[in-house]
């Protein structure tokens, strides 16, 4: 039905556009009528693009949950995801079961183990499990590949670009860290060598935009070519032509991603306006580029990266100049401009970031001020080093020269990210976005100079009122933020009771549970991201982890592991099957931890408490890895209530666990798999737990915890405690009494 509505909208929009053009209505429409017509035309064109893509997307969705064989062409650059896989987009030519392909052109996203040859333009064949995407995503299907093969390497200009980039990456990695892995990202947008830890630090410090090829990189290339051509005596027309040619080559080299194309088109139109003598139409050019790209690819409208790119560009054009003039009243012009540029970008991007991320960088402006001078040097010299690959001596020299600014940027990121309160955690969503937008507007109003508004008396009075109101809002927000920083920092443990021994951290849709006996601490899983886990550990005064248990390697259970690297003594983990899992364990080993695989029957002590592993069985052919091979831990004694942590076990493995272990009479049970419906009632009846912990996110697409699971635990007499409703949950024992502290009151 939605497709028919969209098609109808397309027809109506096109009809209106043809009518008004033939009748000359656009010229006669009053006020914003012409704009309305253009909006209708854009809606019609966008709707047409969506309708034409729907049949293939609907047919592809039928393969969700199946193991498929896909052949196609790589259409994007590849990058390492948080799960350790190499991710890229491809245009599928055939898709189906092995040996029985169906001709079905459709966009797909593929995740594989890291490897070479998966470059833009390469023809590939992959086999893996398929999963349908949401309607708002460009890729109609995500394929988690178990087999991958490059049928034909990239050829033509894309093949030549891939050879140059591979040679540059290899040459860069010969240099020491920090800086070696970051250099290809700065110069040509290849982030495959950037470590997960550095990537997190870049995001925390507000520097992640430097590794994403955008308008800044295109501007650097254009300015460099303009300057070199002018230095050689070339006129304005020649400068523009050479800059356009160089920009086109740069886009091919770094891979024509949507954000790169937008930036390149923006730069190209900017050069044309210079050639035509109208260099001041920046906002109009940005609007034209954005509208044009969205007409060609409507799914970019749901891309946070694209939204951030456009918002930052608009802020630099519209907001940075008046901010610089306002700041210049209290500081030198050069310093004011240097501060205004990153400040404008952060003010514009902050509300968008708050929609989908839980952290706001508080040191982004300072970090950008420190890193900004090195970015163009690393980009230009690194780009020249990449192009000089056929001349090894020159390429080595240029790569070494570009390593120094890259090392400076990497050091800036790691240093600033580790400053106290480098970022502020906010729950992602509309509420946080509105709050951040309000703060951004208030900061802008306070800093704008009076000369930037009309001098009419009514306007002056209104501006004074707005400034006073904005200042008052900033004072209130700053006071609340300062109190939050104190409670999360020096006073973090003030709000935590002393008698807790089991804690369920509120880390969203994932597990992170702490057991404490005396001064010894065990952490069971690390949640989906490091920031929420770090905040929870800090609030509880936990600095060192004596035992880290990684029940299995799903992202919602190990995504926050970087928060505790270097702070762990011993690690127990579930079965390992993929290279990304081995790399994660290697990071913990490098941090000084002892690493062992967990099997049923292992025992140990945590302070005065004892623990034992109940699952999985050693060498089990039934459940070799994944959810059903989750490590199940039991803790008891030493001030710890008798507790059972079930990982993500499904009903079948729960039944085997019940038959293999002596279970019953628990104070606390961590319900398996965030309270999914796949539970064995007999297990929970045997456990007879007094408290059931649900570690679950408030906004999850799975419906966790399921109502039938809640009813099941209630029927066994357990008290349900949920991190999505109560936030962080603490439990302790006082005599025979089980004490419970929650961060907030639960919902009935």
């Amino acid at each position: 039905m939605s497709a028919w509505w969209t098609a109808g909208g397309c027809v109506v929009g096109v009809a209106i556009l043809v009518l008004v053009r033939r009748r000359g209505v656009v010229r006669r429409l009053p006020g914003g009528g012409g704009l309305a017509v253009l909006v209708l035309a854009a809606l019609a064109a966008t709707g047409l693009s969506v309708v034409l893509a729907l049949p293939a997307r609907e047919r592809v969705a039928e393969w969700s949950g199946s193991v498929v064989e896909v052949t196609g062409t790589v259409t994007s650059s590849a990058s390492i995801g948080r799960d350790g896989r190499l991710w890229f987009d491809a245009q599928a030519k055939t898709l189906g079961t092995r040996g029985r392909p169906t001709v079905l052109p459709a966009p797909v996203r593929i995740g594989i183990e890291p490897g070479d040859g998966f470059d833009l333009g390469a023809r590939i064949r992959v086999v893996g499990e398929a999963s349908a995407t949401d309607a708002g995503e460009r890729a109609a299907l995500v394929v988690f590949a178990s087999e991958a093969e490059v049928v034909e390497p990239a050829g033509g200009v894309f093949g030549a670009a891939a050879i140059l980039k591979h040679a540059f990456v290899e040459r860069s990695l010969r240099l020491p860290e920090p800086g070696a892995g970051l250099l290809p990202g700065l110069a040509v947008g290849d982030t495959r060598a950037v470590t997960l830890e550095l990537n997190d630090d870049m995001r925390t410090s507000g520097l992640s935009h430097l590794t994403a090829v955008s308008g800044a990189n295109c501007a650097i290339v254009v300015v460099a070519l303009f300057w070199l051509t002018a230095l050689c005596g070339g006129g304005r027309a020649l400068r523009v032509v050479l800059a356009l040619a160089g920009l086109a080559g740069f886009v091919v080299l770094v891979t024509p991603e949507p954000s790169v194309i937008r930036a390149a088109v923006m730069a190209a139109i900017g050069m044309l306006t210079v050639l035509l003598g109208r260099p001041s139409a920046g906002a109009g050019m940005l609007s034209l580029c954005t509208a044009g790209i969205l007409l060609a690819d409507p799914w970019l409208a749901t891309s946070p990266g694209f939204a951030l790119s456009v918002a930052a560009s608009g802020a630099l054009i519209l907001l940075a100049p008046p901010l610089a003039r306002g700041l210049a009243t209290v500081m030198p012009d050069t310093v004011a401009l240097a501060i205004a540029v990153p400040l404008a970008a952060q003010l514009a991007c902050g509300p968008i970031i708050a929609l989908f991320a839980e952290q706001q960088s508080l040191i982004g402006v300072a970090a950008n001020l420190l890193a900004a001078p090195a970015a163009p040097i690393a980009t230009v010299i690194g780009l020249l080093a990449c192009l000089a690959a056929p001349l090894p001596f020159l390429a080595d020299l240029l790569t070494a020269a570009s390593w120094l600014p890259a090392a400076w940027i990497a050091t800036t990121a790691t240093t600033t990210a580790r400053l106290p309160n480098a970022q502020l955690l906010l729950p992602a969503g509309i509420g946080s976005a509105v709050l951040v937008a309000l703060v951004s507007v208030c900061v802008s109003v306070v800093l704008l100079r009076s000369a930037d508004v009309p001098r009419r008396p009514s306007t002056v009075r209104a501006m004074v009122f707005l400034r006073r109101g904005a200042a008052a809002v900033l004072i209130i927000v700053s006071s609340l933020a300062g109190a939050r920083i104190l409670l999360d920092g020096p006073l973090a443990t003030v709000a935590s009771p002393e008698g807790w021994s089991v804690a369920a951290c509120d880390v969203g849709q994932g597990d992170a549970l702490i057991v404490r006996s005396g001064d010894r601490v065990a952490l069971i899983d690390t949640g989906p991201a490091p920031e929420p886990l770090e905040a929870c550990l800090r609030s509880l005064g936990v600095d060192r982890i004596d035992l880290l248990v990684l029940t299995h390697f799903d992202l919602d259970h190990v995504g926050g592991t970087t928060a505790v690297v270097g702070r762990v003594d011993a690690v127990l983990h579930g079965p390992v099957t993929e290279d990304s899992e081995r790399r994660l364990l290697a990071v913990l080993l490098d941090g000084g931890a002892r690493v062992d695989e967990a099997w049923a029957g292992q025992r140990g002590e945590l302070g005065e408490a004892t623990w034992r592993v109940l699952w999985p069985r050693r060498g089990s052919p039934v459940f070799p890895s994944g959810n059903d091979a989750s490590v199940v831990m039991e803790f008891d004694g030493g001030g710890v209530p008798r507790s059972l942590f079930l990982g993500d076990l499904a009903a079948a493995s729960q039944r085997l666990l019940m038959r293999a272990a002596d279970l019953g009479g628990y104070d606390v049970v961590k319900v398996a798999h965030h309270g999914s419906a796949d539970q064995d009632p007999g297990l929970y009846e045997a456990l007879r737990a007094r408290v059931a912990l649900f570690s679950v996110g408030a906004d999850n697409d799975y419906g966790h915890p399921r109502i039938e699971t809640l009813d099941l635990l209630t029927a066994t007499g357990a008290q349900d405690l949920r991190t999505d409703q109560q936030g962080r949950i603490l439990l302790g024992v006082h005599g025979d009494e089980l004490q419970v502290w929650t961060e907030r009151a639960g919902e009935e």
Side-chain angles (χ1 to χ4, degrees):
M1 181 62 72
S2 60
W4 287 107
W5 278 110
T6 307
C10 292
V11 173
V12 172
V14 172
I16 292 175
L17 176 62
V18 172
L19 175 65
V20 297
R21 284 185 60 84
R22 294 190 62 179
R23 297 294 183 182
V25 177
V26 171
R27 291 190 296 271
R28 300 195 300 269
L29 284 175
L35 177 61
V37 170
L38 292 177
V39 170
L40 286 174
L43 290 173
T46 304
L48 183 62
S49 297
V50 174
V51 167
L52 292 176
L54 278 178
R57 295 177 67 90
E58 291 175 350
R59 290 179 62 193
V60 165
E62 297 175 0
W63 292 96
S64 182
S66 304
V67 175
V68 299
E69 180 179 88
V70 179
T71 63
T73 304
V74 178
T75 58
S76 76
S77 61
S79 60
I80 302 292
R82 293 192 63 86
D83 58 357
R85 289 176 175 266
L86 190 69
W87 288 94
F88 56 85
D89 295 324
Q91 182 68 21
K93 301 300 182 184
T94 64
L95 185 150
T97 57
R98 190 192 295 266
R100 299 183 61 186
T102 303
V103 178
L104 190 66
V108 297
R109 185 154 181 80
I110 298 172
I112 63 173
E113 287 297 310
D116 294 328
F118 300 97
D119 303 300
L120 178 69
R123 289 183 59 241
I124 61 168
R125 184 191 70 84
V126 299
V127 177
E129 184 177 351
S131 176
T133 64
D134 294 332
E137 297 186 36
R138 180 191 293 105
L141 207 64
V142 175
V143 179
F144 298 88
S146 55
E147 300 177 27
E149 174 188 2
V150 178
V151 177
E152 182 180 337
V157 292
F158 295 122
I163 292 172
L164 289 175
K165 285 202 292 185
H166 283 302
F168 179 54
V169 171
E170 182 181 352
R171 187 170 280 111
S172 299
L173 293 180
R174 297 175 193 161
L175 298 170
E177 294 289 359
L182 182 61
L183 180 55
L186 295 170
V188 293
D190 192 324
T191 60
R192 284 178 283 186
V194 179
T195 64
L196 183 60
E197 294 79 9
L198 180 57
N199 187 63
D200 289 337
D201 290 342
M202 294 283 286
R203 186 177 67 251
T204 299
S205 58
L207 298 176
S208 57
H209 63 92
L210 296 179
T211 57
V213 177
S214 59
N217 303 76
C218 292
I220 291 170
V221 172
V222 168
V223 170
L225 290 171
F226 259 61
W227 179 77
L228 287 173
T229 307
L231 192 64
C232 296
R236 183 170 67 177
L238 181 61
R239 293 198 297 269
V240 170
V241 170
L242 291 180
L244 283 173
L247 183 61
F250 178 70
V251 170
V252 171
L253 179 63
V254 302
T255 305
E257 298 280 342
S259 61
V260 177
I261 294 174
R262 180 205 59 76
V265 171
M266 179 73 180
I269 294 179
M271 286 184 287
L272 291 177
T273 58
V274 169
L275 184 62
L276 297 173
R278 297 191 61 189
S280 60
M285 290 187 295
L286 176 63
S287 301
L288 178 63
C289 294
T290 303
I293 292 175
L294 288 176
L295 289 178
D297 187 357
W299 283 272
L300 275 176
T302 65
S303 168
F306 184 78
L308 289 171
S309 179
V310 174
S313 299
L316 297 181
I317 295 170
L318 300 173
L319 185 57
L323 282 180
R325 290 191 293 271
L327 292 171
T329 60
V330 294
M331 62 183 67
D333 292 350
T334 304
V335 178
L337 181 60
I339 295 176
V341 169
L343 179 60
Q346 184 155 333
L347 291 176
C349 294
I352 300 174
I353 293 173
L355 284 172
F356 59 86
E358 294 185 338
Q359 62 274 348
Q360 290 284 324
S361 177
L362 299 181
I363 41 85
V365 174
N368 274 276
L369 285 174
L370 291 171
I377 301 173
T379 298
V380 173
I381 301 179
L383 181 58
L384 293 175
C386 183
L387 297 174
L391 303 172
F393 175 76
L394 179 60
D396 287 339
L397 182 63
L398 291 172
T399 303
S402 60
W403 169 83
L404 184 59
W408 171 261
I409 294 172
T411 303
T412 300
T414 55
T415 302
T416 54
R418 285 163 174 72
L419 291 174
N421 305 304
Q423 59 184 359
L424 183 66
L425 294 180
L426 291 172
I430 294 293
S432 294
V434 171
L435 175 61
V436 175
L438 175 63
V439 173
S440 297
V441 170
C442 290
V443 170
S444 302
V445 169
V446 169
L447 293 181
L448 288 178
R449 200 176 63 170
S450 300
D452 290 313
V453 297
R455 299 298 297 175
R456 293 190 298 270
S458 59
T459 306
V460 172
R461 288 194 298 270
M463 193 63 190
V464 171
F465 176 78
L466 283 175
R467 279 186 169 170
R468 289 177 178 175
V473 170
L474 290 179
I475 291 172
I476 294 172
V477 171
S478 299
S479 300
L480 294 175
R484 172 71 179 271
I485 289 172
L486 287 174
L487 289 175
D488 286 345
L491 304 179
T493 60
V494 170
S496 300
E498 288 292 330
W500 71 272
S501 53
V502 175
C505 293
D506 182 13
V507 293
Q509 183 68 9
D511 278 7
L513 300 112
I514 304 170
V515 179
R516 183 181 70 171
S517 177
D519 59 353
R520 302 294 182 181
V521 172
L523 173 64
I524 304 169
D525 288 330
T526 62
E531 293 83 6
L533 175 62
E534 176 62 36
C536 183
L537 294 175
R538 188 168 54 246
S539 70
L540 297 173
V542 175
D543 184 60
R544 190 77 188 172
I545 308 297
D546 298 284
L547 175 64
L548 171 63
V549 181
L550 300 177
T551 60
H552 60 299
F553 290 92
D554 285 355
L555 184 63
D556 58 336
H557 291 258
V558 300
T561 303
T562 54
V564 296
V565 170
R567 302 161 58 184
V568 177
D569 290 336
V571 178
L572 285 176
H573 61 85
V576 178
T577 58
E578 298 186 8
D579 289 341
S580 60
E581 300 165 2
R582 297 183 183 92
R583 286 194 297 270
L584 178 62
L585 296 176
V587 170
L588 291 165
L589 271 170
D590 292 341
R594 303 186 309 277
V595 176
D596 293 300
E597 190 163 353
W599 300 106
Q602 291 173 311
R603 297 174 180 269
E605 297 180 351
L606 182 77
E608 297 180 0
T610 59
W611 58 262
R612 63 171 177 152
V613 179
L614 303 182
W615 190 265
R617 296 174 178 176
R618 181 184 292 274
S620 171
V622 181
F623 304 120
S625 63
N627 287 354
D628 285 314
S630 294
V631 178
V632 175
M633 298 288 294
E634 177 191 88
F635 288 84
D636 193 14
V640 178
R642 190 165 189 244
S643 307
L644 186 67
F645 301 88
L646 291 172
D648 275 1
L649 292 191
S653 48
Q654 290 175 19
R655 285 190 287 271
L656 289 178
L657 169 67
M658 185 169 56
R659 289 197 291 267
D662 179 21
L663 302 175
Y666 285 93
D667 295 306
V668 179
V669 60
K670 200 289 296 185
V671 179
H673 206 183
H674 321 289
S676 74
D678 193 10
Q679 310 285 344
D680 179 56
L683 172 67
Y684 293 98
E685 291 170 1
L687 297 179
R688 302 189 305 278
R690 299 165 65 185
V691 167
L693 289 178
F694 292 87
S695 186
V696 61
D699 297 316
N700 70 82
D701 299 327
Y702 313 102
H704 294 166
R706 296 293 295 269
I707 185 64
E708 53 265 46
T709 304
L710 291 169
D711 292 342
L712 167 63
L713 270 299
T714 301
T716 65
Q719 177 186 358
D720 296 337
L721 296 176
R722 303 167 46 174
T723 56
D724 62 331
Q725 293 185 356
Q726 278 104 2
R728 186 194 66 191
I729 300 167
L730 304 178
L731 301 108
V733 289
H734 182 71
D736 293 332
E737 181 183 354
L738 185 64
Q739 296 179 310
V740 178
W741 299 271
T742 60
E743 192 172 17
R744 54 183 181 267
E747 300 176 11
E748 296 298 332

